[in-house]
C-alpha cells in the first residue's frame, strides 16, 4: 500500500474517531464524567476545562481532515498527531507514575495514544526516506 494512502488513512481514521471522545469530555461533562469515572463534574471551572479540551480535539480533527485532503498539509498534520497523541499519552504516563492506576479505559487510551504517535512518526519517516530516495 502506498505511503500516502496509509497517511491519509491514519489521518482520516483519527478525524472520525476523535470527535466522539471530544464530545464525551465536553458536550455534557457533568453527566458523562460521573457516569464513566465516578467524579462530580458539576463545577463551572471543571466544565470549562473539559469543554476547552473538546475545542482542542475538534481543532486537531480539522487539521487532520485538511492533511488527509491536501498533500501540502499531510506532513504537518501527521506531526501534529505525533505531538497531540504523544503529549496526551505522556501526561497519562506521568499521572500513572505519580498518582497510581486510573480507570482501565484511561490506560487503554494511553496505550492507543502511544501506538498512534509511533505510527504517525513512522509514516513521516517513511515518507521522508522515500522522498530522499526518489
Amino acid at each position: 500500500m502506498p505511503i500516502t494512502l496509509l497517511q491519509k488513512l491514519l489521518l482520516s481514521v483519527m478525524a472520525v474517531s476523535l470527535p466522539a471522545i471530544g464530545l464525551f469530555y465536553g458536550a455534557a461533562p457533568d453527566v458523562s464524567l460521573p457516569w464513566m469515572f465516578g467524579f462530580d463534574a458539576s463545577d463551572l471551572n471543571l466544565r470549562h476545562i473539559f469543554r476547552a479540551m473538546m475545542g482542542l480535539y475538534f481543532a486537531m480533527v480539522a487539521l487532520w481532515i485538511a492533511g488527509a485532503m491536501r498533500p501540502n498539509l499531510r506532513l504537518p498534520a501527521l506531526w501534529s498527531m505525533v505531538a497531540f497523541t504523544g503529549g496526551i499519552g505522556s501526561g497519562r504516563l506521568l499521572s500513572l507514575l505519580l498518582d497510581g492506576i486510573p480507570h482501565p479505559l484511561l490506560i487503554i487510551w494511553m496505550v492507543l495514544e502511544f501506538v498512534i504517535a509511533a505510527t504517525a512518526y513512522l509514516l513521516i519517516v517513511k515518507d521522508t526516506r522515500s522522498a530522499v530516495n526518489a
Side-chain angles (χ1 to χ4, degrees):
M1 191 177 298
I3 192 72
T4 56
L5 184 58
L6 291 172
Q7 291 171 333
K8 288 196 265 188
L9 183 62
L10 179 63
L11 288 164
S12 298
V13 167
M14 286 297 292
V16 169
S17 303
L18 197 63
I21 297 169
L23 286 170
F24 173 80
Y25 280 144
D30 51 331
V31 175
S32 61
L33 298 172
W35 171 75
M36 179 63 82
F37 302 119
F39 69 85
D40 181 21
S42 63
D43 180 74
L44 173 65
N45 294 326
L46 190 58
R47 287 193 321 267
H48 176 88
I49 290 167
F50 279 103
R51 288 197 170 118
M53 285 175 47
M54 179 179 66
L56 173 63
Y57 280 31
F58 288 149
M60 292 289 91
V61 166
L63 179 57
W64 298 341
I65 290 170
M69 294 173 32
R70 298 181 54 105
N72 63 321
L73 294 176
R74 195 153 302 132
L75 288 179
L78 286 167
W79 275 116
S80 76
M81 189 177 293
V82 170
F84 181 81
T85 57
I88 290 177
S90 296
R92 291 187 198 279
L93 180 61
L94 179 63
S95 177
L96 184 78
L97 297 172
L98 295 176
D99 305 322
I101 306 292
H103 188 281
L105 180 60
L106 299 174
I107 293 175
I108 292 168
W109 285 354
M110 179 186 69
V111 170
L112 287 173
E113 287 154 358
F114 284 132
V115 168
I116 293 163
T119 302
Y121 180 76
L122 289 173
L123 290 174
I124 293 166
V125 169
K126 285 183 183 259
D127 184 82
T128 306
R129 285 185 185 155
S130 65
V132 169
N133 294 331

